[in-house]
Amino acid sequence: MGNKVFISEADEYLFGNGTHYEIYEKLGAHPSEENGKKGMFFAVWAPNAESVHVIGSFNGWNEDAHEMERLKTGIWQLFIPGVGVGELYKYMITTKSGDKLYKADPYANFSELRPGTASRTTDLSAFKWSDDKWTSEISQKDLNKQPIAIYECHIGSWMKHPDGTEDGFYTYRQFADRIVEYLKEMNYNYIELMGIAEHPFDGSWGYQVTGYYAPTARYGEPVDFMYLVNLLHRNNIGVILDWVPAHFCPDAHGLACFDGQCIYEDPDPRKGEHPDWGTKIFNLEKNEVKNFLIANALYWIRKFHIDGIRVDAVASMLYLDYGKKDGQWVPNKYGGNENLAAIEFFKHMNSVIHGTYPGFMTVAEESTAWPKITGKLEDDGLGFSFKWNMGWMHDFCEYMKLDPYFRKGAHNMMTFAMSYNEAENYILPLSHDEVVHLKCSMLEKMPGYETDKFANLRAGYTFMFGHSGKKLLFMGQDFGQNREWSEKRELDWGLLAEPLHRGMKDYVAELLKLYNKYPALYEIDNNWGGFEWINADDSDRSTYSFIRKASNGKDNLLFVINFTPMEWKDFKVGVPFAGNYTHLLDSADTRFGGMGTGIPDKIKAQPGLCDYKDYSLTFDLPPYAAEVFLFQDPSKKESMVRTERTKRTLRSESRSKEDDTKDSDAKDSDKKSSKKESSKDSAKESSKESTKKASTKKASKTSK
């Protein structure tokens, strides 16, 4: 007997309350069996419809063949025997006014490849997962103390298939094999995928969604996407999805005016539309809409084993007047511009997700100073794991674009982010947003001649990887892509034949290797315990020096970075301790495309006050160069030695006490044996001799 899918009264009750976290198991299209017949169960929420019919390839799109049954909560359901996987379908909704709407399924797990707009039946149980080791380990980790190096990627334009087709898309499975190899070579441990939920227009990059529950058909079937995630997990790489609960596209087959009335958006355009984006805004005051979105996030976790979501356009949700002029928005009940429903939504979402999946990452793309984005819910925070540091991204890019002559006047742009670093748990993003719409690629933002551009960017990336916060790079930035990104073409992989681009790729791989290796770079990211400026005020020379600290005092890292084309001879930098400092990384090394330096592998710190420190290092600092040194805190080291010495002493004393106890037990045993001997018949000589031998053996064993 197969599984029968149906809508129960409990399902309706929970959905109406916005707490049916597995509603995707009931709404949509699901393989089912009734009265011994296999088929497909369909269910859709359309509370204002006059009638709803299922039309599709299995009934010749006959509008009268399969009318659905209405339940009291506005859910419509129907089991159709004989319908298998791979069939196209839509809901034909007849409105109260008699109009007919042809809608894709909001809960469909698979869709027709654009420009088609129909939904497609599928079976998500067909894939067998083998990533248990990854999922069990990730659930135990404190993400704040882990290295998180994210590769932001758009599958359709990462690399094109040489098959001559117009799109040239790799399938999820083909992409999986190639991307795993690249990520491992480069030492990334997370990938963030753009545009996975189904969307009709390539140029939206997946940020105007029609199929929230369907991996896009551009690259294959849902089970193929499962294969991709599974393979990434088996290679210890986490998967983050871009997720768009802020708005949805107004296409006729989508969620907009779904049953003739606005059920997913607010009917008031001041609350239900983004005038600049031409999109609809989810009505978060409605329980069923909140349920749709929260269950959707859980769906990607449970069905596709996703490890995180990057929530797009959070600021547009939190502010009622975001991107709007006077008269285009409605204040909240207190007269303010805060979206109270969105605040409650985020708290609800993060509470459910983190309460169930503690290792799951929720990331807010939030561009304002809204407080406590990553604050704890019990402290009135929104409960996100991380926030994109958009302020850092803006300041960093603006500074790096400057001619070196003018950088001294903008010196604080590179130091400002540390002044508010403790406010949130941050990710430092150099995302796709920074390399489109005539903003130039990261390489082309850099001033100077070609070699200067590469040297500038190597120094900039080093500053980024040394700075507090997790890391994100958009694809192509790690090898110095020349052109801006376009979703229509693949990355310019041919550039890797050129030494400077190859050197850039090798350098970023070395930075990522360093980042993953040394806990000082990720273990304490959100307070001053892990970061210390040595000199943040050397604006005349546009240099920065700082230390990243490990919690145990071992393997601390000193960063010294020069953002001018000048070589600073006999450059002195203050350091906290005596001893040798190991030169770990040199951005001017010839193997990365630099001119080389004469900085030795080890430099001994010299006594003397410098940068308010008791010791200093002296070396020639090359133009546009970043130098990284390894050192240890001797006081922490001595403390660890004392601790280990104390442990050894305690173990030794413990063993001595055990030996004393054993000796005492042995003596008591000897006394008992002697008494036994004296009580025996002295007239029997042979028996006495035998007893004496036995007693000696017993005493010997006891003393051992």
Side-chain angles (χ1 to χ4, degrees), residues 331-347:
N332 64 33
K333 63 183 180 181
Y334 302 112
N337 66 343
E338 302 88 356
N339 189 333
L340 304 179
I343 295 169
E344 189 277 331
F345 167 77
F346 284 131
K347 290 181 177 181

Side-chain angles (χ1 to χ4, degrees), residues 562-597:
N562 176 15
F563 283 116
T564 74
M566 303 295 294
E567 179 186 26
W568 303 118
K569 289 284 189 180
D570 296 323
F571 183 87
K572 289 184 72 174
V573 57
V575 291
F577 310 116
N580 286 321
Y581 286 67
T582 303
H583 192 200
L584 272 189
L585 188 62
D586 175 13
S587 73
D589 195 307
T590 54
R591 66 192 174 110
F592 303 129
M595 302 301 291
T597 67

Side-chain angles (χ1 to χ4, degrees), residues 53 108 287 322 416 430 501 610:
H53 290 73
N287 285 340
Y322 185 92
F416 181 55
L430 291 178
H501 290 277
C610 178

Side-chain angles (χ1 to χ4, degrees), residues 239-288:
V239 182
I240 303 168
L241 293 190
D242 269 2
W243 192 58
V244 193
H247 59 146
F248 56 91
C249 70
D251 290 41
H253 70 284
L255 301 176
C257 199
F258 188 77
D259 61 2
Q261 296 187 35
C262 297
I263 61 171
Y264 285 96
E265 72 274 36
D266 195 289
D268 185 341
R270 296 176 300 168
K271 300 171 71 175
E273 295 180 6
H274 273 302
D276 290 343
W277 298 344
T279 55
K280 302 291 186 179
I281 301 172
F282 280 107
N283 183 358
L284 297 177
E285 295 178 1
K286 196 173 277 187
N287 285 340
E288 295 88 348

